[in-house]
Amino acid sequence: MSQQDWTLMQRVAADDEAAVEELYARFSSLVFKVARQLMPSRAEAEDAVQEVFVRLWQTADRYDPRRAKLVTWVMLIARRHLIDRLRRQAVRPSESSFETEWTGPSNHEPGPDRAPQDAERNTRLMQRIAELPELQRIVIERSYLQGYTLREVSEQLGAPLGTIKSALSRGLVRLRERAKTDWAG
Amino acid sequence: MTSPTIMNREQLLELAALDAYGLLDEFEAELYTRSFHHAPAAVQDEIIRFQSELAADPTLLPQEEPPAELRQRVLQAVSRAIERQHSELAPLATIGRRRETSDNYVDSRYVFRPAALWRAAAFILAGAVAVMAYFWSQSNEYARDLARLALSNLTSEELKQKLRPDYEEFVSNPTVVARVMRPLVNNFPGSATVFVDGTTDQAFVLIMGLPVTAGEYELRVTHADGTSEMLRQFASIGPVNGLRFENLAKATLAVTAVWEVIDASGAVVLRST
């Protein structure tokens, strides 16, 4: 159990703004990256990052180091908030057909505000997702990238929930393995 | 006898990624956490380690770094939120003079004596056996937290710190009308009471047992004319939550207004009667 991480979050919960600065310094990069992945624009990603750190302050006293490391907690709070934001804005496409192709949110397209190497990396990631078996691809797109719950995806596809969970787990593992090979090369 | 719903090591590991990414729904996430706490220490360590590797892995994420100016914006946003919370918890300057209550605020169908409610609540909280029997029948860890609070000698002080310093004074005011908000779904652990003071246009909402989730709840009021107003978005911070409002519109304070708590998925979980 990390005593330092627990102490840090206790300080954040006590409204210690220096502790919030420390939290930002440690996790802003990761939080921004996941916000950039899920939000349709850079501006929205930046707004979302502000909200995430307010959320981290609001929930700081609930962090339990016996349950997870601080990075896991931070990223869970971040992803949950980003998915809630997506739902409120209803920016997800209303896909219901198994055969419907999803072309990805705008931040996966090359744009003027993206560095060339980043655009290339994102394009390769989307290509890797497209190479996955059909069910894994769709489940990853709808849950991991669009924020649908697994039950919603199960209902959309008419597939058992256990099947959806397995597809997502295996798809993420395969995607990470392939992505690591790409970035190492 | 072991609960059939507790996951074994293989099941925990299979769903560890989904849990870490927040992709389990609320009930699955609670089951996962419950199963985690039942698992041997070695399995818990294995899951913690695996999930932290996943969380910290940038492989599937864009490589962009945040702009330098975002840091100051974030710190200011948190600072404002802290200030806002402090101002909301400041004691009232005045409860307000007693005035004749109008029919807008008093209705024999809805009125009950708040002071009696708190005496009853105090009796319940003081009754350790009664509280434990009630809360342990619920499979909800936050209700158990409240039971823990009730058993401690600091119950009243902890509640005051969690809510507001003068909450007893506010809700005991004879001009305050209490409205109960009930769950719409069986086995939902939360409930709430809205205390409305029409003479000062203030209200205080006491919410108990609301599941703590990463998403936010909304408190919404629908007026007699059908119009709706979202009063506040908030996160459940534990077994007891308190929301305070000032300068509310008469339509919001009226007994004909319907108060609702809505969860992050958009479902109404509590509604006033």
Side-chain angles (χ1 to χ4, degrees):
Chain A
M1 166 172 137
S2 171
Q3 183 67 30
Q4 290 170 327
D5 285 348
W6 184 81
T7 302
L8 173 63
M9 295 310 281
Q10 288 297 299
R11 287 171 53 211
V12 172
D15 304 338
D16 181 343
E17 297 191 24
V20 176
E21 283 191 60
E22 189 178 329
L23 191 68
Y24 183 84
R26 282 179 61 181
F27 297 110
S28 58
S29 177
L30 271 177
V31 171
F32 181 77
K33 285 176 165 68
V34 73
R36 199 67 181 96
Q37 182 176 61
L38 294 176
M39 292 293 104
S41 71
R42 184 182 179 89
E44 289 208 53
E46 292 180 11
D47 288 345
V49 169
Q50 291 182 69
E51 294 165 3
V52 166
F53 277 90
V54 171
R55 195 82 186 91
L56 285 168
W57 161 72
Q58 288 171 334
T59 58
D61 60 347
R62 287 163 28 200
Y63 168 60
D64 183 357
R66 296 167 300 179
R67 176 66 177 85
K69 291 195 177 175
L70 185 54
V71 64
T72 309
W73 171 258
V74 168
M75 294 303 283
L76 176 64
I77 295 290
R79 286 195 61 88
R80 283 278 177 87
H81 180 78
L82 292 165
I83 288 169
D84 286 346
R85 200 170 201 260
L86 278 177
R87 289 178 181 169
R88 278 200 295 270
Q89 294 174 348
V91 295
R92 295 172 297 173
S94 56
E95 307 297 354
S96 58
S97 165
F98 187 89
E99 291 80 23
T100 303
E101 290 287 331
W102 178 64
T103 56
S106 57
N107 63 340
H108 286 150
E109 300 292 331
D113 60 343
R114 250 179 212 280
Q117 64 272 19
D118 203 41
E120 179 190 347
R121 178 179 173 130
N122 290 336
T123 301
R124 287 167 74 182
L125 177 62
M126 294 310 296
Q127 285 172 349
R128 288 299 187 197
I129 291 175
E131 290 167 3
L132 292 172
E134 187 77 0
L135 182 60
Q136 292 177 14
R137 175 186 65 80
I138 289 181
V139 173
I140 283 179
E141 285 173 355
R142 295 191 185 193
S143 62
Y144 182 72
L145 292 176
Q146 296 176 56
Y148 286 105
T149 66
L150 298 184
R151 288 186 193 276
E152 287 172 334
V153 177
S154 169
E155 288 168 8
Q156 289 167 3
L157 301 182
L161 183 57
T163 302
I164 300 300
K165 288 180 187 177
S166 295
L168 181 58
S169 273
R170 290 175 193 155
L172 286 173
V173 168
R174 188 179 297 200
L175 202 55
R176 285 183 71 217
E177 288 168 357
R178 291 185 177 177
K180 282 182 177 174
T181 304
D182 285 342
W183 314 144
Chain B
M1 176 173 148
T2 306
S3 165
T5 59
I6 297 297
M7 299 178 189
N8 58 28
R9 173 184 174 273
E10 286 66 36
Q11 290 169 322
L12 284 170
L13 287 173
E14 184 182 338
L15 295 180
L18 306 191
D19 177 64
Y21 288 138
L23 294 172
L24 297 177
D25 65 30
E26 180 182 336
F27 298 108
E28 286 176 326
E30 285 192 24
L31 173 60
Y32 190 91
T33 296
R34 196 158 63 239
S35 302
F36 175 90
H37 288 304
H38 275 84
V43 174
Q44 292 183 2
D45 288 345
E46 187 179 4
I47 292 169
I48 288 174
R49 196 167 45 248
F50 175 61
Q51 289 185 327
S52 69
E53 288 169 2
L54 279 178
D57 185 359
T59 304
L60 299 180
L61 299 176
Q63 276 203 314
E64 283 184 76
E65 293 295 333
E69 60 271 20
L70 183 57
R71 173 183 173 278
Q72 196 55 32
R73 286 166 54 193
V74 166
L75 298 181
Q76 285 175 350
V78 175
S79 184
R80 282 195 301 271
I82 292 172
E83 279 178 33
R84 203 157 46 236
Q85 184 186 69
H86 286 174
S87 66
E88 286 174 0
L89 291 176
L92 290 171
T94 172
I95 296 291
R97 293 174 301 167
R98 295 183 186 185
R99 288 197 252 131
E100 291 294 323
T101 53
S102 73
D103 288 339
N104 278 347
Y105 312 118
V106 177
D107 185 308
S108 59
R109 290 173 297 169
Y110 303 102
V111 170
F112 65 100
R113 295 296 175 195
L117 169 68
W118 285 107
R119 284 196 291 275
F123 174 78
I124 291 171
L125 291 172
V129 172
V131 169
M132 288 296 289
Y134 173 73
F135 284 114
W136 282 107
S137 70
Q138 313 284 323
S139 56
N140 182 296
E141 63 182 297
Y142 303 109
R144 290 196 286 274
D145 281 342
L146 183 58
R148 178 186 61 78
L149 279 179
L151 294 174
S152 88
N153 290 332
L154 299 176
T155 295
S156 179
E157 287 308 310
E158 279 191 74
L159 283 177
K160 284 183 180 178
Q161 286 170 17
K162 279 184 177 290
L163 304 175
R164 45 181 287 174
D166 64 334
Y167 81 98
E168 283 181 332
E169 187 179 21
F170 181 78
V171 301
S172 298
N173 189 321
T175 64
V176 168
V177 172
R179 307 273 310 279
V180 176
M181 297 175 71
R182 303 190 189 284
L184 296 187
V185 178
N186 284 341
N187 298 321
F188 184 77
S191 64
T193 304
V194 182
F195 298 94
V196 171
D197 188 341
T199 60
T200 60
D201 299 338
Q202 294 170 346
F204 179 64
V205 183
L206 175 65
I207 308 171
M208 299 175 77
L210 199 66
V212 178
T213 67
E216 289 184 329
Y217 293 88
E218 285 183 8
L219 181 66
R220 184 175 67 193
V221 173
T222 302
H223 307 132
D225 64 359
T227 58
S228 290
E229 177 186 9
M230 196 275 285
L231 290 180
R232 189 165 300 166
Q233 284 182 316
F234 65 98
S236 177
I237 60 173
V240 182
N241 293 268
L243 304 176
R244 170 190 158 178
F245 301 93
E246 296 185 25
N247 302 318
L248 292 176
K250 297 301 182 192
T252 300
L253 297 164
V255 291
T256 49
V258 177
W259 293 66
E260 293 174 324
V261 172
I262 301 156
D263 69 11
S265 71
V268 178
V269 294
L270 297 174
R271 177 177 288 153
S272 62
T273 53

